Amino acid sequence: MKKIIASSFIIAVLLASCTQKASVVTGPVSTSSEKLAQGKTIFENSCGRCHDLPEPTAHTSVQWVGIMNAMAPKAKLNDEQHQLVYDYVVSVKK
Ligand code: HEC
């Protein structure tokens, strides 16, 4: 019995670690203020180089999914930075 519990635990952990690696950003993951501050810093440093810094409230959270999928590679963001910036822009309230 113990073995079954232990192995299902391992499978659960493996599954969880796989899902975390998914690079497709579809919605907010982190909303802690520390993460949002990190996202803001990356946004301010990376997203104003080619054009003016975009206004986070100018686009909906759905539009930002597509925008970030287009802009994250341009700004050479890794998956984690992509998610942090996304979480920041959609956290800004009008
Ligand atoms: C290497 C240059 C470059 C970087 C870096 C860059 N962008 Fe852009 N961005 C563009 C260009 C070029 C366009 C306009 C053409 C287009 O839509 O592809 C654009 C357009 C946009 C638009 C307008 C899209 C629309 O549909 O109105 C937004 C918003 C935007 N970028 C956000 C960002 C964000 C957020 C980042 C940081 C993650 C970023 N950009 C980094 C080049 C860049």
Side-chain angles (χ1 to χ4, degrees), residues 1-93:
M1 193 55 182
K2 265 208 172 126
K3 261 192 181 151
I4 296 173
I5 294 172
S7 49
S8 52
F9 177 70
I10 291 168
I11 291 167
V13 169
L14 285 176
L15 284 177
S17 60
C18 286
T19 47
Q20 274 174 4
K21 284 210 186 85
S23 62
V24 184
V25 175
T26 52
V29 166
S30 51
T31 45
S32 78
S33 52
E34 191 193 331
K35 294 270 181 186
L36 295 180
Q38 280 179 39
K40 184 170 193 274
T41 305
I42 299 165
F43 174 75
E44 286 169 351
N45 290 334
S46 313
C47 304
R49 275 187 286 154
C50 303
H51 42 64
D52 287 346
L53 207 53
E55 187 53 57
T57 57
H59 306 276
T60 67
S61 58
V62 174
Q63 290 171 325
W64 275 117
V65 171
I67 294 167
M68 284 305 298
N69 285 340
M71 292 300 143
K74 283 191 197 289
K76 300 194 168 45
L77 303 186
N78 64 28
D79 291 345
E80 191 193 356
Q81 294 167 323
H82 179 165
Q83 183 72 57
L84 287 168
V85 171
Y86 178 82
D87 290 348
Y88 163 68
V89 290
V90 299
S91 76
V92 179
K93 298 281 173 278

